[in-house]
Amino acid sequence: MAHQSDLIAADIEAYLLAHQHKSLLRFLTCGSVDDGKSTLIGRLLYDSKMIFEDQLAALEADSKKVGTQGGEIDFALLVDGLAAEREQGITIDVAYRFFSTDKRKFIVADTPGHEQYTRNMVTGASTADAAVILIDARRGVLTQTRRHSYLVSLLGIRHVVLAINKMDLVGWSQETYDTILAEYRAFAAQIGIKDFTAIPMSALKGDNITAQSDAAPWYDGPALLPLLESLPVEDDQRGKPFRMPVQWVNRPNLDFRGFSGFVSAGVIRPGDKIKALPSGRESLIDRIVTKDGDLPEAVAGQSVTLTLTDEIDISRGDVIAATASPPPVADQFEATVVWMDDEAMLPGRPYLMKLGARTVAAQITEPKYKVNVNTLEHLAAKRLELNEIGVCNLSLDAPIAFDAYADNHDLGGFILIDRISNRTVGAGMLHFALRRSQNIHWQALDVDKTSRAAQKGQRGRVVWLTGLSGSGKSTIANLVEKRLHANGRHTSLLDGDNVRHGLNKDLGFTDEDRVENIRRVAEVSKLMVDAGLIVLVSFISPFRAERRMARELQAEGDFVEVYVNTPLEVAEQRDVKGLYKKARAGELKNFTGIDSPYEAPEHPEIVVDTTAMSPTEAAERIVAWLEGELDYSI
Amino acid sequence: MQAQAPAISTETLTHLQRLEAESIHIMREVAAEAERPVMLYSIGKDSAVMLHLAAKAFYPSKPPFPLLHVDTTWKFRAMYEMRERMAKELGFELLVHKNPEAVERNINPFDHGSALHTDIWKTEGLKQALDKYGFDAAFGGARRDEEKSRAKERIFSFRSAQHRWDPKNQRPELWKLYNARKNPGESVRVFPISNWTELDIWQYIHLENIPIVPLYFSEVRPVVERDGALIMVDDERMPLRPDETPAMKSVRFRTLGCYPLTGAVESTAATLPEIIQEMLLTTTSERQGRMIDHDQAASMEKKKQEGYF
């Protein structure tokens, strides 16, 4: 085998020269639990002499101790690298393994089969050029086979190999093989896998792995490894129009201004016309700079630094593209979203979206539908839970340059990040821009917020009172408004209960509806601040993320968060409206503090402790704080 | 051999070109997104490649982060010489941190054993240094082919404010999109050469003419055989047992760490092709010469959870 090429001993320089020019194929193995993924990888490593003696000795010892092969070598132990995996005998996270043959170098991602670890499977699949989907010949096409095939298709992996494994256990029956193949072919067509190669094999025995086996004389296709060696890896992105997201502006001194990035598609040469997006400014390529010298051209897959003939404003996250066919720019899209976090995706909640080198705030609408990955059925959904996949619309707070995922993974694939925990909570693939985003433009207005507020001799503000039900928010807000009114201020008051009778009467108390409730109130208060008013908002508003959204809608300093701090026991004891009693009795669902969480503010402008002061004292404190800042002249 | 800008219009990129481009992309993401990045420098061959890639990634600028060497005071002398030389040649600011508690208690592998020595000097020392300077992203030269738990780790590997790694709950990492966001106190360890193999490293060193510590090449050196390993007597601090007399042998090192904990192999390989040849024909893995991995089963994973890079 490859690595043991005779050249190594005989002529190392010749071997190195040959190895230097090998291409790289990244593939993943997936399929149902116990279909033999780890055994297959163990076999590939073993047959290509990538397992060293000390590793083999450790493996033999482990196999005797915790193996599942009756003391025989258990290859699964070789790839299941985490203690928890070895204890439980399952694969939790993707493992990357490396081997090479005479023709090619390989990186293989061994991905977990359990639905619970879908996000790790998707992690492994996102960088793969090819997928090897394993099937246990005794069990045929299973739920997990279908789910993984769907994900492979969704991620646009170009080459699919169907490894019908454990053929030795069905006596190398051609009939069994044909039945499985027919069933899989029908399924593959439904999910858009146009082409795949099926191979009957036994990973355990090594049949049809490195060479065609005599065990299946009826099979005249390739063995697995020769097939993997011959799959085309020429990046099909090279033939497309030029795209390079700018990662880093390279400014060592005043005389040099370069744009560093990874060429995502196409070819570029000095003198080529480019357009920077989203600005749309144009220039010409001056130089392609690398430490090894300037290049005559750069192609998809290279990291380079470009300089331009004109001084145009380009920053991180912009895309440099061929002038002749630039990518579209938009701020609203349809996309497929894969949710990856224990906390569900809530429509309307602002997340961060990272695409290419750009990070922007994004809101997701209610899913158009979610997909039952096992049956491919489209189901109605209000939210996306962990491991669910749905089609949604996204709305960004700034326009970005993009391509459809099907055309370019770098400019069409994105991740979603939670703004509080910073976890990566979802991933998605852009389909297309929504027309409406291109047609609505902001109207520039002559009379603006500042002039309206100046007329009233004050600054428009939102005073946002948050706290548990029964904490005294409404009482305090009323007192504050009376005092401000008496001081000659122009005010308005939005109260949670009142707004729910009108503007928000279509909303309930699920997490999704709470998010939408706050979004609407935040937008209404923004319009009122634009009108120059001081807006008192009295809402439980239990989630930090939405309060942050409300804050960010306003100009810096125009949002005053007041935490009406009352311990749950005290609020429950007061129970002015009798709601806690009902919630405890199970008559009210999703009641904040009882079976729905309240997230206290981390940095409120004002805190009032209602166990230590009366509502009047609390109101006076808030008014005193505000009057210190309210005069427009200040 | 001098690297040349290749003409590659029709040719497929080679695996080394793809790996190089990927590593550079990763480094630029860190430079752009982290507030205070640092590159951990261990002076070995993987670090040498990482430094070389960093110089390429930001050219003509200097890399926008310092180097940090978490020193145990027990490295080979030749490694200290290389450290000073490389920082100067590539224009890096070099920070050296020695755990003051370890200095004071004179922690060493002979009296305290390899596990405690490594824990106090390296794991604790690293955490101290990261906290001291407030680094929020630290590059490390670990590769996924080195060890089982490393094979599982993300390229951007999130660490809690206590520097802990949670292997069962890693952030998903898709395509080339790395999430470097974190709250104050939290950090990421970033492994830009995750996807390189030992052979890739050697071949790249060969092709790009990257300077490495001479200990990788065979030479006649004074060694004693101890607990089945050949330990080089690198300075006078090494206590010899009554039955031990250093013997002059032609040896080299496949991996470099603290000299009392790093086993040499008998070899005559004195050039890079010979080293690569020997590596390809060998029957043991490179970490076999490292004592710390053998201390207990799953020891690397445990150490990593506690904050070892």
Side-chain angles (χ1 to χ4, degrees):
Chain A
M1 267 288 310
H3 223 131
Q4 295 308 92
S5 164
D6 293 339
L7 273 180
I8 293 173
D11 186 350
I12 184 67
E13 297 272 9
Y15 173 82
L16 287 176
L17 199 62
H19 184 70
Q20 186 190 327
H21 290 97
K22 285 177 192 170
S23 57
L24 171 64
L25 182 85
R26 301 186 66 144
F27 70 99
L28 83 151
T29 55
C30 58
S32 204
V33 184
D34 298 332
D35 282 350
K37 291 191 302 285
S38 303
T39 309
L40 175 66
I41 293 175
R43 167 61 64 183
L44 289 170
L45 298 180
Y46 187 73
D47 283 356
S48 52
K49 304 284 190 290
M50 297 300 289
I51 302 178
F52 293 110
E53 272 178 16
D54 57 322
Q55 292 171 329
L56 198 59
L59 180 63
E60 280 170 352
D62 283 355
S63 299
K64 289 204 176 74
K65 213 162 47 183
V66 287
T68 56
Q69 299 295 321
E72 296 279 299
I73 288 189
D74 184 353
F75 285 115
L77 295 177
L78 196 66
V79 276
D80 286 341
L82 302 175
E85 294 179 320
R86 295 153 78 84
E87 280 158 25
Q88 300 173 43
I90 56 165
T91 307
I92 294 175
D93 213 329
V94 53
Y96 298 91
R97 294 284 154 179
F98 306 82
F99 67 99
S100 61
T101 67
D102 280 342
K103 297 205 174 68
R104 188 167 271 182
K105 180 190 148 93
F106 297 93
I107 301 179
V108 48
D110 180 29
T111 62
H114 291 88
E115 183 162 12
Q116 187 187 351
Y117 305 118
T118 296
R119 60 183 176 200
N120 297 335
M121 186 269 176
V122 172
T123 292
S126 70
T127 51
D129 309 309
V132 177
I133 300 170
L134 277 101
I135 288 186
D136 182 336
R138 295 169 304 174
R139 303 194 292 166
V141 178
L142 300 177
T143 302
Q144 285 186 1
T145 323
R146 280 191 280 267
R147 188 160 48 81
H148 282 185
S149 298
Y150 178 74
L151 291 167
V152 161
S153 160
L154 197 64
L155 286 162
I157 296 176
R158 283 198 297 162
H159 308 291
V160 177
V161 180
L162 186 70
I164 303 182
N165 191 26
K166 305 196 184 180
M167 284 298 293
D168 52 319
L169 299 180
V170 296
W172 290 92
S173 156
Q174 184 177 4
E175 199 189 331
T176 307
Y177 174 81
D178 286 341
T179 308
I180 294 172
L181 186 52
E183 189 187 346
Y184 190 82
R185 183 165 284 140
F187 178 73
Q190 277 183 61
I191 57 173
I193 293 180
K194 292 186 196 75
D195 194 21
F196 66 92
T197 307
I199 305 175
M201 66 174 64
S202 166
L204 193 67
K205 307 276 188 233
D207 288 303
N208 276 339
I209 304 294
T210 55
Q212 266 193 328
S213 165
D214 299 333
W218 43 266
Y219 173 74
D220 59 1
L224 178 62
L225 206 48
L227 175 68
L228 293 175
E229 284 179 331
S230 64
L231 291 175
V233 289
E234 278 73 37
D235 202 330
D236 61 348
Q237 290 302 327
R238 193 182 294 190
K240 295 182 177 173
F242 180 75
R243 305 275 188 266
M244 189 189 89
V246 174
Q247 284 188 276
W248 195 70
V249 179
N250 197 333
R251 294 220 71 175
N253 53 56
L254 292 175
D255 303 326
F256 187 94
R257 183 174 161 85
F259 305 100
S260 299
F262 183 93
V263 180
S264 163
V267 179
I268 197 85
R269 297 180 183 85
D272 285 357
K273 280 189 187 170
I274 62 95
K275 187 176 238 182
L277 296 160
S279 75
R281 292 191 186 89
E282 297 187 6
S283 184
L284 302 176
I285 298 290
D286 182 21
R287 298 167 55 198
I288 303 170
V289 179
T290 77
K291 188 160 183 287
D292 303 319
D294 283 8
L295 300 182
E297 66 178 10
V299 302
Q302 287 184 300
S303 283
V304 294
T305 296
L306 305 177
T307 64
L308 306 178
T309 54
D310 307 278
E311 282 260 339
I312 63 173
D313 181 21
I314 299 178
S315 43
R316 170 168 166 86
D318 291 354
V319 175
I320 296 179
T323 302
S325 39
V329 171
D331 63 0
Q332 295 196 46
F333 304 92
E334 185 192 273
T336 301
V337 172
V338 182
W339 200 250
M340 301 176 151
D341 199 60
D342 295 326
E343 216 172 288
M345 182 275 275
L346 297 182
R349 172 169 284 188
Y351 297 98
L352 291 174
M353 173 176 131
K354 184 171 181 185
L355 180 144
R358 192 78 200 273
T359 303
V360 293
Q363 293 184 40
I364 311 170
T365 61
E366 195 167 280
K368 294 179 175 174
Y369 59 84
K370 66 179 180 185
V371 180
N372 177 328
V373 184
N374 302 325
T375 63
L376 304 180
E377 248 181 304
H378 291 186
L379 305 170
K382 289 271 184 200
R383 51 161 83 180
L384 292 178
E385 303 279 358
L386 176 67
N387 296 326
E388 288 190 334
I389 297 168
V391 171
C392 313
N393 286 347
L394 274 89
S395 164
L396 314 185
D397 72 351
I400 59 164
F402 76 101
D403 279 312
Y405 180 78
D407 294 331
N408 184 325
H409 293 191
D410 293 338
L411 285 178
F414 60 88
I415 56 170
L416 294 164
I417 300 169
D418 185 88
R419 305 191 350 148
I420 308 276
S421 70
N422 292 314
R423 287 194 302 266
T424 304
V425 290
M429 288 136 278
L430 292 182
H431 302 165
F432 48 77
L434 302 175
R435 286 282 155 245
R436 62 173 180 258
S437 77
Q438 286 147 6
N439 296 333
I440 301 173
H441 295 280
W442 283 101
Q443 298 296 318
L445 303 171
D446 293 334
V447 178
D448 65 3
K449 174 177 138 185
T450 312
S451 49
R452 292 187 199 105
Q455 195 182 41
K456 300 175 179 68
Q458 65 184 32
R459 262 185 74 172
R461 281 289 177 92
V462 178
V463 182
W464 189 285
L465 289 85
T466 171
L468 291 169
S469 175
S471 58
K473 295 181 300 297
S474 297
T475 313
I476 295 170
N478 264 311
L479 290 168
V480 170
E481 192 180 25
K482 276 185 197 161
R483 290 289 302 273
L484 289 173
H485 187 79
N487 291 356
R489 303 297 181 188
H490 299 253
T491 61
S492 179
L493 191 149
L494 296 169
D495 180 84
D497 288 348
N498 297 347
V499 172
R500 277 185 177 278
H501 284 301
L503 176 65
N504 289 354
K505 70 178 169 192
D506 56 325
L507 299 176
F509 290 89
T510 61
D511 286 355
E512 294 85 340
D513 283 356
R514 285 177 188 277
V515 171
E516 176 61 14
N517 187 35
I518 299 304
R519 189 191 70 79
R520 290 185 198 172
V521 170
E523 290 286 0
V524 168
S525 47
K526 181 178 168 58
L527 292 173
M528 290 183 167
V529 170
D530 271 350
L533 298 176
I534 299 161
V535 191
L536 294 150
V537 178
S538 165
F539 270 67
I540 298 174
S541 47
F543 303 138
R544 272 180 212 133
E546 280 67 55
R547 293 196 302 266
R548 187 194 284 205
M549 168 181 72
R551 179 185 290 273
E552 287 175 1
L553 274 178
Q554 307 296 340
E556 180 92 34
D558 282 357
F559 186 90
V560 181
E561 191 171 11
V562 179
Y563 178 30
V564 182
N565 186 2
T566 306
L568 179 63
E569 312 81 70
V570 178
E572 192 169 355
Q573 208 183 351
R574 291 180 192 158
D575 207 4
V576 190
K577 302 174 203 162
L579 297 174
Y580 282 97
K581 206 171 158 197
K582 281 191 188 166
R584 288 288 183 200
E587 292 162 31
L588 263 183
K589 290 278 171 230
N590 300 320
F591 194 75
T592 299
I594 307 296
D595 57 349
S596 184
Y598 178 80
E599 299 167 1
E602 282 169 328
H603 306 291
E605 276 75 10
I606 305 173
V607 182
V608 291
D609 179 352
T610 65
T611 59
M613 58 179 93
S614 69
T616 310
E617 286 167 337
E620 273 167 9
R621 167 174 296 195
I622 295 168
V623 170
W625 194 95
L626 287 171
E627 286 296 349
E629 303 217 338
L630 274 180
D631 278 329
Y632 184 73
S633 51
I634 293 175
Chain B
M1 258 200 246
Q2 198 54 49
Q4 282 180 354
I8 37 153
S9 185
T10 50
E11 285 195 24
T12 305
L13 297 179
T14 67
H15 66 281
L16 285 174
Q17 286 172 317
R18 274 182 75 176
L19 290 171
E20 181 189 81
E22 177 187 72
S23 300
I24 289 175
H25 174 262
I26 292 164
M27 290 179 177
R28 288 171 175 171
E29 282 299 288
V30 173
E33 297 217 345
E35 276 170 34
R36 190 137 170 72
V38 67
M39 182 167 275
L40 303 179
Y41 182 39
S42 73
I43 324 169
K45 63 183 191 307
D46 301 310
S47 277
V49 166
M50 194 163 62
L51 258 60
H52 187 81
L53 290 166
K56 285 194 178 196
F58 302 100
Y59 178 85
S61 294
K62 298 277 186 218
F65 39 77
L67 295 181
L68 170 65
H69 179 222
V70 179
D71 193 4
T72 65
T73 71
W74 287 94
K75 301 292 170 192
F76 292 90
R77 281 174 298 165
M79 292 172 74
Y80 292 113
E81 285 159 22
M82 179 60 84
R83 180 182 78 185
E84 301 304 319
R85 181 186 145 196
M86 291 318 294
K88 194 181 277 178
E89 277 182 17
L90 295 175
F92 280 95
E93 178 194 355
L94 173 69
L95 305 170
V96 176
H97 180 80
K98 299 173 188 167
N99 180 349
E101 186 201 346
V103 173
E104 193 186 320
R105 292 170 57 191
N106 189 25
I107 301 292
N108 67 77
F110 304 111
D111 301 325
H112 303 97
S114 65
L116 187 76
H117 170 80
T118 305
D119 181 53
I120 305 230
W121 279 112
K122 291 179 81 174
T123 308
E124 290 307 314
L126 174 60
K127 289 194 274 189
Q128 281 171 357
L130 295 178
D131 289 341
K132 176 178 165 189
Y133 295 102
F135 293 125
D136 64 339
F139 290 105
R143 309 187 320 265
R144 284 171 170 160
D145 76 329
E146 275 180 88
E147 196 273 335
K148 277 194 294 249
S149 64
R150 292 222 193 273
K152 294 267 171 179
E153 191 163 11
R154 300 283 187 258
I155 290 173
F156 275 52
S157 188
F158 177 80
R159 292 292 190 281
S160 70
Q162 292 73 40
H163 302 282
R164 291 190 71 89
W165 179 52
D166 182 1
K168 284 194 281 182
N169 197 18
Q170 302 193 76
R171 285 179 176 174
E173 191 169 82
L174 286 93
W175 302 294
K176 288 190 276 291
L177 293 172
Y178 302 105
N179 177 1
R181 300 185 75 88
K182 60 227 165 288
N183 286 315
E186 297 169 345
S187 61
V188 285
R189 306 278 171 92
V190 181
F191 304 105
I193 56 169
S194 284
N195 287 326
W196 295 57
T197 63
E198 188 182 9
L199 175 58
D200 296 330
I201 293 289
W202 280 120
Q203 183 142 34
Y204 192 70
I205 288 171
H206 186 43
L207 286 172
E208 300 272 312
N209 224 356
I210 300 172
I212 51 170
V213 181
L215 292 163
Y216 285 114
F217 299 101
S218 280
E219 207 176 287
V220 177
R221 299 184 169 103
V223 290
V224 294
E225 196 173 332
R226 186 178 284 185
D227 307 325
L230 287 175
I231 303 297
M232 179 171 154
V233 184
D234 193 51
D235 61 35
E236 67 294 338
R237 289 179 296 173
M238 174 144 170
L240 293 177
R241 294 171 189 169
D243 57 332
E244 283 177 344
T245 334
M248 299 303 286
K249 287 189 176 167
S250 176
V251 295
R252 64 179 200 88
F253 296 85
R254 293 179 62 192
T255 174
L256 293 176
C258 293
Y259 82 79
L261 296 176
T262 308
V265 289
E266 291 200 58
S267 164
T268 54
T271 66
L272 278 165
E274 284 169 4
I275 287 175
I276 297 172
Q277 183 175 41
E278 200 174 87
M279 182 202 91
L280 291 173
L281 295 175
T282 188
T283 53
T284 55
S285 68
E286 77 185 301
R287 294 204 73 87
Q288 200 244 354
R290 294 263 181 136
M291 314 295 202
I292 67 163
D293 288 0
H294 304 307
D295 286 345
Q296 63 183 104
S299 64
M300 178 65 85
E301 181 183 345
K302 188 160 172 294
K303 268 194 275 294
K304 286 170 66 63
Q305 286 183 36
E306 289 162 0
Y308 184 75
F309 98 78

